Each structure stands twice: as structure tokens, then as C-alpha cells.
């Protein structure tokens, strides 16, 4: 059974930082592409960042490039999203997702991911 569990969300002021973690069981971060997606109020789920199983190459949405950093710890089987310079527009539920390593399909499409966590709320407000 595959399980993804996110942690680290919360309330932060604009300009602040948060660190989200995702622990996966039943699969490995070594063998799976891992992604972070988010869904704001009355919005569709959107791509935030991802890291490929093969080579650990990283990808970011334009809105978060330079502010967010995705990384993985193969030994701990976790994926982390470091979020800096947070803005009100970053307020959303953040989801961790996994899929079998696949270099042929886009990593930015949530429909390409088959395993999801339940999400963690991030609220950026003064």
C-alpha cells in the first residue's frame, strides 16, 4: 500500500518561510518522480515543483522559481519543499504526489501522478 504524508504547513506572514516534508511508504523516492502541487480557493490544482527519479533533475512553476526549492533524501525516503519569500498568492493546500519514473511524459501535469497525499494547508497572511 502506497502512502504519502505531508507535514510542515501552517500560517506565516508575507516574506516568511515554511518547509514542507513528504514521507512516502510503499514506494521509494529513488524510483519515482516526485511532485508538489497546490490548490487555492476556487482554483484548479496546479504544478509547483517536481524532481525526477533519474538524475534528480528539478522543475519549477514560473510563479515559484527562485523562491521554492525541492529536494529529496533517498535514505529517509522523503521529499522536501523549502518555501521562501512567501506571498499571499501562495496560500493553498499543498499536495505531495508520486508516479513511477517516466521521462516521456510531462512532469507538470497532475493527471500524470497516481499517488497523492491528503495535503497540508499553507496560509500566508499578515
Amino acid at each position: 500500500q502506497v502512502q504519502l504524508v505531508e507535514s510542515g504547513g501552517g500560517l506565516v506572514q508575507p516574506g516568511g518561510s515554511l518547509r514542507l516534508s513528504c514521507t512516502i511508504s510503499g514506494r521509494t523516492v529513488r524510483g519515482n518522480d516526485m511532485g508538489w502541487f497546490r490548490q487555492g480557493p476556487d482554483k484548479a490544482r496546479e504544478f509547483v515543483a517536481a524532481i525526477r527519479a533519474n538524475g534528480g533533475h528539478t522543475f519549477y512553476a514560473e510563479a515559484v522559481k527562485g523562491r521554492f526549492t525541492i529536494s529529496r533524501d533517498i535514505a529517509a525516503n522523503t521529499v522536501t519543499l523549502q518555501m521562501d519569500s512567501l506571498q499571499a498568492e501562495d496560500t493553498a493546500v499543498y499536495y505531495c504526489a508520486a508516479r513511477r519514473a517516466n521521462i516521456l511524459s510531462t512532469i507538470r501535469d497532475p493527471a500524470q501522478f497516481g499517488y497523492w497525499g491528503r495535503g497540508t494547508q499553507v496560509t500566508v497572511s499578515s
Side-chain angles (χ1 to χ4, degrees):
Q1 183 179 356
V2 180
Q3 277 192 314
L4 288 79
V5 180
E6 303 97 337
S7 61
L11 173 64
V12 64
Q13 293 186 341
S17 298
L18 280 176
R19 187 177 180 89
L20 305 184
S21 291
C22 173
T23 300
I24 183 172
S25 58
R27 300 189 79 90
T28 66
V29 299
R30 181 196 298 272
N32 287 265
D33 297 336
M34 302 295 299
W36 286 97
F37 296 81
R38 67 186 182 187
Q39 188 164 12
D42 301 319
K43 293 183 180 180
R45 192 167 297 189
E46 64 177 5
F47 170 76
V48 175
I51 184 165
R52 284 204 187 277
N54 298 310
H57 301 293
T58 58
F59 304 82
Y60 297 94
E62 283 300 319
V64 307
K65 196 173 291 184
R67 300 189 297 122
F68 291 11
T69 303
I70 187 171
S71 60
R72 64 181 180 177
D73 185 330
I74 292 176
N77 218 29
T78 60
V79 176
T80 298
L81 185 68
Q82 176 67 39
M83 305 187 295
D84 299 317
S85 302
L86 283 161
Q87 305 164 0
E89 304 81 67
D90 297 315
T91 294
V93 177
Y94 283 72
Y95 297 91
C96 177
R99 71 175 192 184
R100 196 182 306 273
N102 184 343
I103 63 172
L104 298 180
S105 65
T106 177
I107 204 168
R108 298 172 184 267
D109 182 0
Q112 298 293 323
F113 286 77
Y115 301 100
W116 292 84
R118 298 181 70 175
T120 184
Q121 176 70 46
V122 171
T123 302
V124 184
S125 176
S126 56

